[in-house]
Amino acid sequence: MSTVVAQAQHIFGLCARVANNLCFFDEQIIIFPCGNHCVKYNVDQKWQKFIPGSEKSQGMLALAISPNRRYLAISETVQDRAAITIYELSSVPCRKRKVLSNFDFVVQKFVSLAFSPDSKYLVAQTGAPESNLIYWMWEKQKVMAIVRTDTQNNPIYQVSFNPQDNTQICVTGNGIFKLFRYAEGALKQTNFQRGEPQNYLAHAWISEDRIIVGTDMGKLFLFESGDQRWETSIVCKEAISETKQLEVMQESESLIEFPAPSSPDMSSEQLFVEKSESQNLMPKVSAIAAYSKGFACSAGLGRVLLYEKMEEKDAYRESREIRIPLDQHSNDPSQSDKQEILCMCFSPSEETLIVSTNKNQLYSITMSLTEISKGEPAQFEFLMYPLHSAPITGLAACIRKPLIATCSLDRSVRIWNYETNNLELYKEYQEEAYTVSLHPSGHFTVVGFADKLRIMNLLINDIRSFKEFPIRGCRECAFSNGGHLFAAVNGNVIHIYTSTSLENIANLKGHTGKIRSIAWNLDDSKLISCGTDGAVYEWNLSSGKRETECVLKSCSYNCVGISPDSKIIFAVGSDQTLKEIADSSVLREVSAFDVIYTAVVISHSGRMVFVGTSMGTIRSMKYPLPLHKEFNEYQAHAGPVTKMTITFDDQFLLTSAEDGCLITWKVYDKDGRGVKREREVGFAEEVLVTKTDMEEKAQIMLELKTRVEELKMENEYQLRLKDMNYTEKIKELTDKFIQEMESLKTKNQVLRTEKEKQEVTHNNYVEDLLEKQSRELQDIECCNNQKLLLEYEKYQELQLKSQRMQEEYEKQLRDNEETKSQALEELTEYYEAKLHEKASLLEEAQDDARQQLREFEETKKQIEEDEDREIQDIKTKYEKKLRDEKEANLRLKGETGIMRKKMEAELERFHKQNTQLELNITELWQKLRATDQEMRRERQKVLHVPRGDPSALTSGLLSPGRCCLAPERDMEALVKRFKIDLHNCVGYIQEPRQLKEKIRALFDKYVQQADMVEIVGVDTDLQQEYVRQREHLERNLATLKKKVLKENELHRSDNVRIMQENVSLIKEINELRRELKITRTQVHDLESALRLTKKLRHSDVSEAAPTLEKPTTVGIVRLNEEEETERIIEMQRLEIRRLRDHIQEQEQIPGLHPPGRLPSLESDRALENTSN
């Protein structure tokens, strides 16, 4: 790295665009942003300390200080990415505590920050279009919650925490007033906006549940728990009457000489301002700060109002008004106080109020002064000094005085002292100032304005012009090192003037573009210039011609410098390089590494080179220039560097930028070669004063002396009058006090007499008490002496008894010691032998345990593999079985439907055949009855036959019998065969297919065509009977179907219940196993403890070998417990097996399929082995 070091010494400026840009660190130190730094400024001792911004930062956006004043959060944009850096303020120097930069959400910038009351949480509001509110636990970089506060791309101005609650947050913006509460890992809105939305610019918490909010229409709202409680409007008032304004203007014109205006009429801007003021417009409430008595708020341009709480009502009344004072050095003093207040804050003791404005100014006021100035508005004062409010365009330093001159687009010229860090002079003008140069003596300055070039005197209290040159828009001017010449740029021409006669002695022409920078060499014989045309020229002032030139059309140069020996020219431009030029050629180019150099300066020793960049950083390097990236880079400004210069003694580097800030740097050269240059002559202290000013001052002094004499005489007369009045009053008071003294003396004498009487009475009472006490004391002493004698005799007896007991105990102690030592030796020998035995047993047990562990691991591995394989096989098997069952179920459903239809047809046909058979039987019975009747008639005929004709009788008996008995026997045989066949068919009632075939065969066997013809003629009664039977069977079938479905549901619920009971039983078994294991461990521990206790108890009585009766008994108890536990487990297994058999029986029922499969007994056993 480079050995050239620059350390920031003081910063003149303020970045007003940063949100919440002002806060107190303690009662004397404030923190505000300036350039790319945060400045800690001590108001009393006037010193500054700096917190530099992040590397490659593009500027700060918002600040927040924690309530405990330990941490400072800064929102920045680093390489086009939003970042939040948290610094620890208590450390010296301030160090980075956390950097929040890698986000899981989209964010372009953070516009507002706030710490929680305990400083553990940080809330940040992102800008549009995301408009997210992020709630961080910042120390752990943990996002607790995120919520979108707006969906319409409205600007959001401020977020804040409830000062008593970490979880409540307030957000205000254009049309946005929202309260959020963090709960259950999310931010939830707790209020609802009512009424017309306002543009809420600022807010402040007054108490735990009260918030005061201000709008751009001059309205103040008080919200309590999200509901509006109070409202008021602020009216803009005239600060100073027109006559007073005219007096102030006349006084300022008498002190300061302004250039004559081109027109005496007022500008349109002034007319508009006056017109707006006359109409009492509603002012903006852009800043609010709470304090113990109430709150302070901005009330338009340059105005602050203090509100105090009313005791009777929940309202606030206006108590004080504070205004920004008029600036007499402004070009328009009547408008100089019209500044918008952006931020305000109270000191921790509430003794001081500080505000910042949009013109980069800081004002303060002591709160006690506001109470003194009753009736009239109090006035703010500058906290430090007036600052630039626009980009600084010109910068110069002189040799004979520690002065710096700057000019800015805010139309002002300011003279600073870099030793005392104060503003010496400043003045505003009608035109913008583009360039400035100080004479080496520090008495004169040249300033280039938009209309003319002016050379001015630096007086004791004014900057006064004494010569104007017709050069419009002069962008560069410079006094020579000797001060006898100065150069001014007019477009592409350089004019050379003498400082004594102010004549134009030379015009240097040659540039084709605008000239951007000029530089004198050390002896003022040469002038170097560069411009946008890519040309660098070296001019000889004696001849007025160019000596050397270097033209590079592709580069637009920004600045040029020359070495002390006038041999090397340094130039920087748009090509991102630093060039060394000598003899019209570029000797070397040093890369700027992706930035543009905007300014360059070389120390008078020639060993240090400083460059400014477009990113606002400063780079220091040694000369000769390094080939690689060997330089120190410092965060300086929040905008491109515009000008740089170094003091004549190389002690201070001065830089200015477009952010309106001026920084002084202390420069160190660590090589040791450049010892600090001692000044031969100290800084000059002379100042310029005009003769008219001296005469005016003398006249004023004479008038003041005369006024002092008059006041003395008047005061003496008034004193004499007061002396006379006071002597009379003293005489009256003396007489009055003498009378009071006499009365008091009389009272005193009476009180003294009473006191003597009381003393005599008191003395008598004390004597009686003393006599009584002495008698009581003697009685007590006699009693105590007798008691003491008795106690002493008892003491002697007890002492003798104690001695005898002590001798006995000492003897017992010696005996016990001998017994103890002997027993200890025996125990030691026994336990050492036992220890060796146990050690060997322990080693064997450990070997067995390791072997068993290996076997167990291998067995466990094999069992796991077998179980996995078995589970996979069972899974595959049951999946296949499930698919087959599903397919068979579908197939059987289809076949059942078909068989149901066929069965119905067969039953119908069977019923028809049955009916036909019944008809046939009926006919046969009729025929049988007819045959019987014929047989009776034939018998009667036989009885009536004559006895003498036996042949007729025989023929009569045989012929009818043969005709009747044969059909009867045939019918009986037919019915018998039909019954047998029908009984055989009924045997196939569970097999529909065979039943169908048998019934069909029965039909073919017994039904002939003639019978079919007879069936057609059955009467209607048989048809009705058939229909009735069919309906009866259908109802029975439906009832059976419902019963089957109901049974299926019952079985399914029973199956699920049984499975749940099985699971609970398995869990209970596992818990019992764990309890058994714990119980075994406890029993083992108790065995060891009991065995040790017993050994110690019997060590003095029995032999050294321990008895095993107690452990044996414990072991028996433990065995009984194990048997009981095993018996319980076996009973549970039997119960599980019984339940499994029941489930399998339920599964075998057709149409019932369980919803899942229970674990097998093998898996239970594997689980038992694992738990054991």
Side-chain angles (χ1 to χ4, degrees):
M1 298 297 289
S2 174
T3 58
V4 178
V5 179
Q7 182 180 354
Q9 190 81 6
H10 201 86
I11 301 182
F12 304 90
L14 170 71
C15 288
R17 62 182 177 80
V18 178
N20 192 24
N21 55 25
L22 200 57
C23 50
F24 270 94
F25 175 63
D26 56 27
E27 194 64 34
Q28 287 81 31
I29 298 175
I30 63 170
I31 298 175
F32 60 89
C34 184
N36 203 17
H37 292 78
C38 271
V39 180
K40 292 174 68 176
Y41 177 69
N42 190 303
V43 179
D44 295 336
Q45 301 176 12
K46 309 297 182 185
W47 52 255
Q48 289 185 351
K49 293 182 180 179
F50 308 103
I51 305 172
S54 301
E55 188 177 354
K56 298 183 180 179
S57 172
Q58 295 167 306
M60 300 179 183
L61 299 175
L63 299 183
I65 191 168
S66 62
N68 59 9
R69 314 285 177 182
R70 288 186 60 189
Y71 306 108
L72 178 71
I74 303 176
S75 166
E76 299 175 283
T77 304
V78 181
Q79 292 181 331
D80 297 325
R81 295 181 62 185
I84 297 175
T85 308
I86 299 172
Y87 292 87
E88 189 170 355
L89 297 176
S90 57
S91 63
V92 180
C94 299
R95 64 181 182 88
K96 289 183 181 180
R97 183 67 179 270
K98 290 290 179 184
V99 178
L100 310 176
S101 58
N102 297 320
F103 308 114
D104 297 333
F105 47 87
V106 179
V107 57
Q108 295 181 0
K109 60 181 179 179
F110 293 102
V111 298
S112 183
L113 307 173
F115 278 98
S116 63
D118 60 1
S119 306
K120 292 182 180 179
Y121 300 95
L122 177 71
V123 67
Q125 175 65 52
T126 67
E130 302 90 14
S131 300
N132 289 326
L133 183 68
I134 298 96
Y135 185 80
W136 264 296
M137 182 183 287
W138 62 268
E139 288 187 342
K140 297 182 180 179
Q141 300 186 7
K142 180 182 178 182
V143 176
M144 307 294 290
I146 182 170
V147 66
R148 187 165 187 180
T149 54
D150 181 57
T151 58
Q152 300 177 357
N153 292 340
N154 289 324
I156 297 174
Y157 303 116
Q158 186 181 357
V159 297
S160 66
F161 269 99
N162 185 325
Q164 306 295 329
D165 190 354
N166 282 352
T167 62
Q168 194 170 14
I169 301 166
C170 179
V171 181
T172 53
N174 189 359
I176 299 168
F177 172 71
K178 295 183 179 180
L179 293 174
F180 294 93
R181 184 173 291 280
Y182 176 76
E184 298 176 357
L187 287 170
K188 300 177 182 178
Q189 186 174 349
T190 59
N191 71 319
F192 298 96
Q193 296 184 6
R194 299 181 179 89
E196 185 179 353
Q198 305 280 339
N199 187 5
Y200 300 105
L201 298 180
H203 71 267
W205 292 84
I206 296 178
S207 64
E208 186 175 355
D209 55 353
R210 290 189 172 191
I211 308 172
I212 193 77
V213 186
T215 70
D216 62 344
M217 299 301 291
K219 290 185 178 181
L220 288 172
F221 297 97
L222 177 65
F223 293 93
E224 184 174 357
S225 300
D227 298 326
Q228 183 177 330
R229 297 289 185 230
W230 177 72
E231 176 185 352
T232 188
S233 296
I234 300 172
V235 180
C236 187
K237 299 178 182 178
E238 287 286 344
I240 304 174
S241 63
E242 294 182 1
T243 56
K244 288 186 178 180
Q245 284 188 1
L246 289 174
E247 289 176 2
V248 171
M249 289 294 290
Q250 289 173 1
E251 184 180 356
S252 64
E253 287 175 358
S254 65
L255 294 175
I256 305 171
E257 293 182 1
F258 287 100
S262 58
S263 172
D265 297 334
M266 298 180 70
S267 65
S268 60
E269 182 181 356
Q270 291 172 332
L271 288 172
F272 174 76
V273 170
E274 286 191 358
K275 186 176 179 181
S276 64
E277 285 181 352
S278 64
Q279 292 177 355
N280 283 343
L281 294 179
M282 290 299 199
K284 290 183 180 180
V285 182
S286 55
I288 300 177
Y291 70 115
S292 58
K293 295 181 180 179
F295 64 91
C297 68
S298 65
L301 299 178
R303 185 165 165 245
V304 172
L305 297 179
L306 299 180
Y307 281 84
E308 293 183 359
K309 191 176 187 308
M310 300 171 66
E311 295 180 357
E312 300 175 355
K313 302 178 182 178
D314 284 342
Y316 293 81
R317 62 178 180 84
E318 180 183 338
S319 61
R320 298 284 185 275
E321 181 182 358
I322 312 171
R323 286 186 176 270
I324 293 177
L326 299 177
D327 188 359
Q328 303 304 326
H329 296 280
S330 174
N331 60 353
D332 187 2
S334 64
Q335 299 298 319
S336 61
D337 62 334
K338 301 298 186 289
Q339 302 180 44
E340 182 180 354
I341 295 172
L342 300 180
C343 183
M344 62 174 63
C345 65
F346 286 94
S347 63
S349 65
E350 299 181 353
E351 181 62 25
T352 308
L353 173 64
I354 297 181
V355 300
S356 63
T357 70
N358 63 334
K359 291 187 178 180
N360 295 355
Q361 305 300 327
L362 291 173
Y363 295 94
S364 69
I365 189 170
T366 303
M367 294 301 292
S368 57
L369 296 179
T370 61
E371 299 176 359
I372 295 172
S373 60
K374 294 183 178 179
E376 294 184 0
Q379 299 285 330
F380 280 108
E381 295 179 352
F382 281 108
L383 179 66
M384 299 180 289
Y385 27 70
L387 302 169
H388 280 297
S389 60
I392 297 174
T393 55
L395 174 66
C398 68
I399 299 173
R400 291 284 292 120
K401 292 184 178 183
L403 299 180
I404 312 167
T406 58
C407 63
S408 170
L409 297 181
D410 60 6
R411 304 177 180 180
S412 69
V413 176
R414 299 172 194 257
I415 308 298
W416 312 85
N417 190 316
Y418 60 80
E419 274 200 340
T420 61
N421 297 321
N422 273 325
L423 180 65
E424 298 285 339
L425 293 171
Y426 84 100
K427 190 173 181 180
E428 292 186 7
Y429 296 90
Q430 298 288 340
E431 302 292 336
E432 294 178 347
Y434 297 133
T435 182
V436 67
S437 180
L438 272 179
H439 191 272
S441 65
H443 293 156
F444 313 104
T445 181
V446 174
V447 184
F449 290 95
D451 57 346
K452 291 179 182 178
L453 177 71
R454 295 182 175 89
I455 183 167
M456 296 181 283
N457 288 324
L458 301 180
L459 304 179
I460 189 171
N461 57 0
D462 193 13
I463 304 174
R464 194 169 297 174
S465 172
F466 65 90
K467 177 65 176 176
E468 296 179 350
F469 301 94
I471 301 177
R472 297 179 63 84
C474 178
R475 297 282 177 173
E476 288 292 329
C477 67
F479 272 104
S480 63
N481 293 313
H484 60 290
L485 301 174
F486 67 89
V489 173
N490 186 6
N492 56 2
V493 180
I494 303 173
H495 301 285
I496 308 297
Y497 295 90
T498 63
S499 300
T500 53
S501 62
L502 305 178
E503 295 179 355
N504 185 6
I505 61 172
N507 294 320
L508 309 179
K509 301 179 181 179
H511 282 281
T512 58
K514 289 185 177 181
I515 298 172
R516 299 292 297 275
S517 178
I518 57 175
W520 294 87
N521 70 339
L522 191 60
D523 59 1
D524 297 334
S525 61
K526 296 178 183 179
L527 183 70
I528 314 300
S529 64
C530 68
T532 58
D533 55 357
V536 176
Y537 294 148
E538 182 180 352
W539 306 88
N540 189 326
L541 294 182
S542 59
S543 62
K545 296 181 180 179
R546 287 179 296 196
E547 282 195 354
T548 61
E549 62 182 40
C550 179
V551 180
L552 186 63
K553 296 291 185 182
S554 61
C555 178
S556 175
Y557 286 105
N558 295 323
C559 188
V560 70
I562 187 169
S563 62
D565 57 4
S566 304
K567 294 181 180 180
I568 305 296
I569 299 171
F570 299 89
V572 294
S574 60
D575 61 350
Q576 299 182 0
T577 58
L578 169 62
K579 296 181 177 63
E580 285 187 65
I581 302 172
D583 298 331
S584 302
S585 62
V586 177
L587 296 181
R588 185 186 304 172
E589 290 186 356
V590 179
S591 174
F593 301 100
D594 299 328
V595 295
I596 297 175
Y597 287 148
T598 57
V600 62
V601 65
I602 301 93
S603 67
H604 296 88
S605 65
R607 291 196 301 271
M608 298 182 290
V609 179
F610 301 92
V611 290
T613 69
S614 58
M615 298 295 293
T617 59
I618 304 298
R619 293 179 178 178
S620 63
M621 56 192 79
K622 62 182 179 180
Y623 186 79
L625 296 178
L627 296 176
H628 305 290
K629 195 174 182 179
E630 295 180 3
F631 54 78
N632 293 328
E633 187 167 12
Y634 305 97
Q635 302 298 318
H637 296 278
V641 177
T642 54
K643 296 292 179 182
M644 295 177 64
T645 187
I646 194 166
T647 57
F648 187 72
D649 55 1
D650 290 344
Q651 296 298 307
F652 294 96
L653 173 70
L654 314 171
T655 63
S656 63
E658 291 184 4
D659 59 0
C661 297
L662 169 66
I663 305 180
T664 61
W665 305 78
K666 185 72 174 175
V667 178
Y668 301 95
D669 187 358
K670 291 188 176 180
D671 278 344
R673 294 178 297 172
V675 183
K676 185 168 73 172
R677 301 173 63 183
E678 298 292 340
R679 298 186 61 87
E680 296 178 358
V681 182
F683 287 125
E685 296 182 357
E686 298 85 0
V687 292
L688 293 180
V689 181
T690 62
K691 186 177 180 181
T692 55
D693 289 343
M694 290 292 293
E695 291 174 352
E696 288 178 359
K697 293 279 174 61
Q699 184 65 29
I700 291 171
M701 288 173 66
L702 288 173
E703 292 176 356
L704 291 174
K705 284 181 180 179
T706 307
R707 179 64 177 161
V708 166
E709 294 295 331
E710 293 175 355
L711 289 173
K712 281 183 179 180
M713 293 174 64
E714 186 176 353
N715 287 335
E716 288 176 357
Y717 176 70
Q718 294 291 335
L719 285 172
R720 283 196 298 272
L721 290 176
K722 289 180 179 179
D723 286 341
M724 292 172 63
N725 292 329
Y726 288 147
T727 52
E728 292 178 358
K729 289 182 179 179
I730 288 169
K731 187 177 180 181
E732 293 175 357
L733 291 171
T734 304
D735 296 339
K736 181 179 178 182
F737 288 142
I738 288 171
Q739 293 176 0
E740 290 180 355
M741 286 171 64
E742 291 295 333
S743 63
L744 289 172
K745 284 180 181 178
T746 306
K747 288 181 181 179
N748 192 11
Q749 188 67 31
V750 173
L751 292 172
R752 191 173 294 160
T753 305
E754 291 180 357
K755 178 190 171 187
E756 290 175 355
K757 291 180 180 179
Q758 289 179 1
E759 282 181 352
V760 172
T761 306
H762 179 69
N763 290 331
N764 295 330
Y765 179 70
V766 168
E767 287 177 357
D768 295 338
L769 285 176
L770 289 174
E771 290 177 0
K772 185 178 179 181
Q773 183 188 8
S774 62
R775 287 194 300 270
E776 290 178 353
L777 186 62
Q778 289 175 0
D779 296 339
I780 291 169
E781 284 180 354
C782 292
C783 294
N784 287 337
N785 288 332
Q786 294 176 2
K787 289 181 180 179
L788 281 173
L789 290 172
L790 294 173
E791 293 295 329
Y792 183 72
E793 291 175 356
K794 289 181 182 179
Y795 172 71
Q796 292 293 336
E797 292 176 359
L798 290 173
Q799 192 171 11
L800 293 172
K801 187 177 179 181
S802 174
Q803 288 177 355
R804 288 195 298 272
M805 290 176 67
Q806 188 173 1
E807 291 174 357
E808 291 176 0
Y809 283 126
E810 285 178 353
K811 183 179 179 182
Q812 290 180 6
L813 189 63
R814 286 194 295 274
D815 296 339
N816 288 335
E817 287 290 335
E818 293 174 358
T819 306
K820 179 183 174 184
S821 60
Q822 185 179 358
L824 185 63
E825 289 175 358
E826 294 174 355
L827 283 174
T828 304
E829 293 174 358
Y830 169 73
Y831 278 110
E832 283 179 355
K834 195 71 175 176
L835 185 62
H836 289 301
E837 181 183 353
K838 293 294 182 182
S840 60
L841 290 175
L842 181 62
E843 290 179 358
E844 293 176 1
Q846 287 178 350
D847 295 336
D848 294 341
R850 283 193 291 271
Q851 182 64 27
Q852 289 178 4
L853 183 63
R854 285 194 294 272
E855 292 176 358
F856 171 72
E857 292 293 336
E858 185 64 29
T859 307
K860 180 182 175 183
K861 184 177 179 182
Q862 292 177 1
I863 289 172
E864 287 177 352
E865 292 175 357
D866 294 341
E867 288 297 325
D868 292 339
R869 187 163 54 252
E870 182 181 354
I871 289 168
Q872 190 65 30
D873 295 341
I874 292 170
K875 183 179 177 182
T876 306
K877 174 184 173 184
Y878 278 98
E879 285 178 354
K880 184 178 179 182
K881 186 176 180 181
L882 183 61
R883 286 196 300 272
D884 295 341
E885 289 292 335
K886 286 182 179 179
E887 291 174 0
N889 193 11
L890 292 173
R891 186 170 63 254
L892 288 174
K893 281 183 179 179
E895 291 179 358
T896 303
I898 296 169
M899 292 303 297
R900 188 181 292 113
K901 291 180 182 179
K902 291 181 179 180
M903 187 69 182
E904 289 175 357
E906 292 295 333
L907 284 172
E908 186 177 356
R909 191 160 53 249
F910 173 73
H911 283 302
K912 289 179 181 179
Q913 291 177 1
N914 193 12
T915 306
Q916 185 63 36
L917 290 173
E918 288 177 356
L919 291 174
N920 292 337
I921 291 168
T922 305
E923 289 176 358
L924 290 172
W925 278 107
Q926 290 176 0
K927 289 179 181 181
L928 186 61
R929 291 191 191 100
T931 305
D932 288 339
Q933 290 176 2
E934 285 183 10
M935 288 175 67
R936 290 191 193 100
R937 284 194 298 268
E938 289 297 328
R939 286 194 188 107
Q940 291 175 2
K941 287 180 181 181
V942 170
L943 291 174
H944 294 296
V945 172
R947 295 179 181 269
D949 195 359
S951 60
L953 180 61
T954 305
S955 62
L957 288 172
L958 292 176
S959 59
R962 289 171 185 164
C963 296
C964 296
L965 292 176
E968 185 176 356
R969 286 195 301 271
D970 294 338
M971 183 56 65
E972 288 178 356
L974 180 65
V975 171
K976 189 176 181 180
R977 287 197 305 274
F978 179 77
K979 286 182 178 180
I980 293 169
D981 294 339
L982 184 60
H983 185 267
N984 294 333
C985 288
V986 172
Y988 296 98
I989 192 69
Q990 296 295 333
E991 298 177 2
R993 190 173 298 172
Q994 294 183 9
L995 180 63
K996 177 183 176 184
E997 293 176 356
K998 294 293 182 181
I999 291 174
R1000 185 174 291 171
L1002 189 66
F1003 178 81
D1004 294 338
K1005 182 176 180 181
Y1006 292 100
V1007 178
Q1008 286 113 19
Q1009 192 66 30
D1011 297 331
M1012 291 297 293
V1013 174
E1014 291 179 1
I1015 290 171
V1016 177
V1018 177
D1019 57 351
T1020 56
D1021 293 336
L1022 293 175
Q1023 292 289 337
Q1024 291 175 359
E1025 180 65 20
Y1026 166 72
V1027 170
R1028 187 179 63 79
Q1029 291 290 336
R1030 181 175 179 180
E1031 290 176 353
H1032 175 69
L1033 290 173
E1034 287 177 353
R1035 285 194 298 271
N1036 290 339
L1037 183 63
T1039 305
L1040 289 173
K1041 285 182 179 178
K1042 290 180 181 178
K1043 287 183 178 180
V1044 169
L1045 292 175
K1046 190 174 181 181
E1047 290 295 328
N1048 288 341
E1049 291 296 329
L1050 289 174
H1051 287 302
R1052 185 179 291 108
S1053 60
D1054 291 340
N1055 193 7
V1056 172
R1057 180 177 56 78
I1058 290 166
M1059 184 177 68
Q1060 291 175 352
E1061 291 176 356
N1062 192 7
V1063 171
S1064 64
L1065 288 171
I1066 291 170
K1067 290 182 179 177
E1068 187 175 356
I1069 288 167
N1070 292 332
E1071 291 176 359
L1072 289 171
R1073 286 171 179 163
R1074 285 193 291 270
E1075 291 177 3
L1076 178 61
K1077 187 175 181 181
I1078 294 168
T1079 307
R1080 285 175 178 171
T1081 307
Q1082 292 176 353
V1083 168
H1084 181 68
D1085 295 338
L1086 288 171
E1087 283 179 2
S1088 302
L1090 288 171
R1091 189 182 298 119
L1092 181 60
T1093 305
K1094 187 171 182 180
K1095 288 175 183 178
L1096 292 174
R1097 188 179 298 165
H1098 296 286
S1099 62
D1100 297 332
V1101 181
S1102 63
E1103 294 181 356
T1107 61
L1108 299 175
E1109 293 177 2
K1110 188 68 176 180
T1112 306
T1113 305
V1114 176
I1116 292 169
V1117 172
R1118 186 183 65 187
L1119 184 60
N1120 292 335
E1121 290 178 357
E1122 289 180 0
E1123 288 178 354
E1124 185 178 357
T1125 307
E1126 292 294 337
R1127 188 165 56 254
I1128 291 169
I1129 293 171
E1130 189 62 32
M1131 289 171 64
Q1132 297 292 345
R1133 282 180 181 167
L1134 292 173
E1135 180 66 19
I1136 291 167
R1137 190 175 292 110
R1138 187 185 66 77
L1139 291 173
R1140 289 183 187 281
D1141 296 339
H1142 182 67
I1143 290 168
Q1144 289 175 1
E1145 290 174 2
Q1146 296 295 328
E1147 286 178 351
Q1148 290 177 1
I1149 297 175
L1152 180 62
H1153 298 285
R1157 179 177 177 273
L1158 295 174
S1160 63
L1161 284 173
E1162 288 78 4
S1163 62
D1164 294 341
R1165 293 193 184 96
L1167 181 62
E1168 181 182 357
N1169 293 331
T1170 306
S1171 63
N1172 291 332

